[in-house]
Amino acid sequence: MVADKEIVCGADIHRDFLVATMISRNGFKLQENFKMNRDGLLAFKSWLLDNKCQRLAVESTGSYWYPIFCILEGHLEFILANAQQIRNIEGKKTDRLDSERIATYCLNNLIKPSRIYPKDYRELRSLTRSREALVNARSKIKNQIHQLLAACSIKLSSVITDSFGKSGRYIIDMLLEGKTIEEIISGIPSKRVRKKADELKEAIRNSIDSNEVFLIKTNLEAIDCLDEKIKLLDAEICVKVKTFEEDLKILMSLPGIGMTSAATILAEMGDYRDFPHADKMAMYFGIVPTVYQSAGKLRTGRITKRGSKHMRRILVEVAKA
């Protein structure tokens, strides 16, 4: 049972400011606005501690909650609420009313707190997600190059598995320099690819227009730049993941899981001890089927797809591997 003197706070967070309401069961109530810069957040922290607030509840809207958590970590109980769980379905909606509603839910223990990962996992996750974003950006650029080559009736991808591997990149570079197909084939690094001379001649029958040459060169430079950034992230991930050396060894003992995928799984999973059993973890990441039950009949459907899309992506990749 919550004591009458317990003071809690609810905050409605926006990009540039937050509105906070502090309440207790004995009628105490305070409302204040704060800026979402460092001075504003430090003022918010002092306001909470000076009024002996014990719990703060906020919505998990984007990443706006994170700097507040960093400022207040270790000073009071921080409750991160799922926005869908505490959404205001009916009635007038204002920032002040929203913050008071969140505070009321907090006071009456109606909020199921979302997981907040420990700092080590948060840092590793920011690295693995940044790497994923760069890899996705690189893939988009590669697709653009494929389209530019196809516009010149060059079907390199139909002959070579990886058009941006050692041999594929050599062929593209030589095409951009205007070399003939015979000159290109004689200099290909891979003997296996050189044996496909007839197929290459069939796939590369045209030269590349000057406009496409410029665009492909620009995109190749962007790919090289992204490759360097990805290498830097890989090195930093290797450093961060040393904290979880034993867990990493267990993951990498499974077929299809390498360093990058293991680091991603660890980062997205967080501390596995938060889950009482494997089924709970599967539910958390949305890889269990939806269930439909009616008139005594039970049917299962597609996976729920709740939770981290990054975890589901990497699990699909390693399963295919």
Side-chain angles (χ1 to χ4, degrees), residues 2-8 22-30 107:
V2 180
D4 289 344
K5 292 183 179 180
E6 183 184 26
I7 299 174
V8 303
M22 212 183 296
I23 61 171
S24 70
R25 292 190 182 279
N26 60 14
F28 171 80
K29 179 180 175 182
L30 282 177
L107 186 65

Side-chain angles (χ1 to χ4, degrees), residues 264-275:
T264 303
I265 291 170
L266 281 174
E268 296 298 328
M269 178 175 60
D271 190 347
Y272 65 87
R273 299 173 189 84
D274 291 346
F275 303 97

Side-chain angles (χ1 to χ4, degrees), residues 206-244:
N206 287 353
S207 59
I208 304 177
D209 295 338
S210 59
N211 188 59
E212 276 70 23
V213 168
F214 171 77
L215 292 173
I216 291 172
K217 282 184 176 180
T218 302
N219 283 328
L220 286 174
E221 289 173 3
I223 288 174
D224 292 339
C225 182
L226 287 171
D227 284 340
E228 289 301 317
K229 292 183 183 299
I230 290 169
K231 286 179 183 178
L232 290 173
L233 279 172
D234 284 339
E236 189 63 22
I237 288 170
C238 287
V239 172
K240 290 289 182 185
V241 86
K242 287 180 180 178
T243 310
F244 316 104

Side-chain angles (χ1 to χ4, degrees), residues 154-168:
I154 295 174
K155 307 292 184 181
L156 187 61
S157 58
S158 63
V159 182
I160 298 179
T161 305
D162 183 6
S163 299
F164 298 93
K166 191 173 182 180
S167 293

Side-chain angles (χ1 to χ4, degrees), residues 39-133:
D39 289 341
L41 293 179
L42 288 173
F44 179 47
K45 175 183 175 181
S46 298
W47 183 71
L48 292 170
L49 298 181
D50 291 347
N51 287 285
K52 295 180 171 53
C53 179
Q54 286 119 340
R55 287 189 286 165
L56 168 68
V58 303
E59 285 183 326
S60 56
T61 49
S63 58
Y64 297 152
W65 63 271
Y66 187 67
I68 300 173
F69 172 74
C70 292
I71 288 285
L72 295 173
E73 188 175 12
H75 293 280
L76 49 77
E77 184 181 353
F78 186 93
I79 299 173
L80 184 63
N82 188 309
Q84 290 184 337
Q85 181 193 356
I86 61 171
R87 67 183 184 276
N88 189 18
I89 299 174
E90 296 179 357
K92 187 177 179 182
K93 179 176 172 59
T94 67
D95 295 338
R96 288 183 172 272
L97 287 176
D98 279 348
S99 66
E100 187 173 349
R101 172 176 53 83
I102 296 169
T104 302
Y105 288 164
C106 179
L107 186 65
N108 291 285
N109 296 315
L110 296 175
I111 300 175
K112 183 180 178 181
S114 298
R115 284 179 80 205
I116 299 178
Y117 288 49
K119 186 178 180 182
D120 288 343
Y121 289 101
R122 294 200 306 267
E123 290 179 347
L124 181 60
R125 187 173 58 175
S126 66
L127 291 171
T128 56
R129 288 187 178 183
S130 294
R131 186 189 188 280
E132 181 185 338

